[in-house]
């Protein structure tokens, strides 16, 4: 089945202008065009666009995604290089998740802190708690 740029954008949950930008930047070299020059997307293109979105979300720049496309064009000679790219992105995402987990834990502590402060009508009661009086969940703060 073939999809127009609008249909594919809707399926992916992105703006059609995003797909046009990807095409302009050379990220869609495999997308076929009709005789009238209209981009015609297939399920295979959908899978490719999901990889692009994954790489973008992992922090890879458009320039680096283009380099990945060049690796693909080189074929099997670039398999190790592509594997290293994905391992690197995986490690970077794991680090981001760890960092965000720490951020979440601090936010949870601050919510507890202010909820308790509101219950007492003042921060002073919470500030004066000893380490042992603070919930174990928040003691590592």
């Amino acid at each position: 089945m073939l999809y127009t740029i609008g249909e594919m954008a809707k399926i992916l949950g992105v703006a059609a202008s995003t797909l046009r930008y990807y095409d302009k930047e050379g990220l869609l070299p495999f997308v076929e065009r009709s005789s009238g020059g209209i981009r015609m997307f297939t399920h295979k293109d959908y899978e490719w666009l999901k990889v692009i979105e994954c790489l973008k979300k992992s922090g890879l720049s458009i320039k680096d995604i283009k380099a990945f496309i060049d690796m693909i064009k080189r074929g099997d000679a670039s398999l190790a290089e592509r594997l290293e790219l994905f391992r690197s992105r995986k490690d970077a995402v794991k680090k981001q998740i760890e960092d965000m987990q720490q951020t979440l834990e601090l936010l949870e502590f601050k919510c507890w802190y202010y909820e308790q402060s509101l219950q007492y009508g003042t921060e002073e009661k919470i500030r004066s708690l000893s380490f042992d009086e603070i919930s174990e969940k928040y003691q590592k703060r």
Side-chain angles (χ1 to χ4, degrees), residues 9 15 18 45 53 56 65-66 77 108 140:
T18 299
D45 297 321
E53 283 297 303
K56 270 188 57 197
I65 294 172
K66 283 186 202 178
E108 287 174 341
K140 59 183 171 184

Side-chain angles (χ1 to χ4, degrees), residues 37-67:
I38 297 172
R39 295 171 196 89
M40 301 305 297
F41 294 87
T42 65
H43 184 72
K44 186 177 177 183
D45 297 321
Y46 167 80
E47 295 298 326
W48 173 244
L49 287 162
K50 294 298 283 182
V51 171
I52 291 173
E53 283 297 303
C54 172
L55 292 172
K56 270 188 57 197
K57 287 179 182 177
S58 78
L60 211 61
S61 69
I62 296 295
K63 178 183 172 186
D64 290 334
I65 294 172
K66 283 186 202 178

Side-chain angles (χ1 to χ4, degrees), residues 20 24 26 31 33 45 47 50 53 56 67 80 85 88 92 95 99 104 115 118 137:
R20 286 185 193 94
K24 179 181 164 225
V31 173
R33 290 186 179 256
D45 297 321
E47 295 298 326
K50 294 298 283 182
E53 283 297 303
K56 270 188 57 197
L85 171 75
S88 169
K95 175 71 170 109
D99 292 347
L104 177 59
E115 287 165 358
L118 280 170
K137 181 177 181 179

Side-chain angles (χ1 to χ4, degrees), residues 18-29 31 33 39:
T18 299
L19 298 182
R20 286 185 193 94
Y21 174 73
Y22 289 172
D23 192 29
K24 179 181 164 225
E25 291 298 316
L27 302 184
L28 306 177
V31 173
R33 290 186 179 256
R39 295 171 196 89

Side-chain angles (χ1 to χ4, degrees), residues 25-31 48 65-79 81-82:
E25 291 298 316
L27 302 184
L28 306 177
F30 310 112
V31 173
W48 173 244
I65 294 172
K66 283 186 202 178
F68 172 65
I69 292 168
D70 290 340
M71 289 179 215
I72 291 171
K73 289 177 179 178
R74 291 194 335 255
D76 290 347
S78 69
L79 286 173
E81 199 176 350
R82 287 184 265 165

Side-chain angles (χ1 to χ4, degrees), residues 93-117:
V93 168
K94 282 182 176 182
K95 175 71 170 109
Q96 289 172 335
I97 290 170
E98 289 171 11
D99 292 347
M100 292 305 292
Q101 184 61 43
Q102 290 175 0
T103 300
L104 177 59
E105 289 170 7
L106 180 58
L107 291 170
E108 287 174 341
F109 169 73
K110 290 310 244 179
C111 286
W112 171 84
Y113 176 92
Y114 288 112
E115 287 165 358
Q116 296 301 307
S117 296

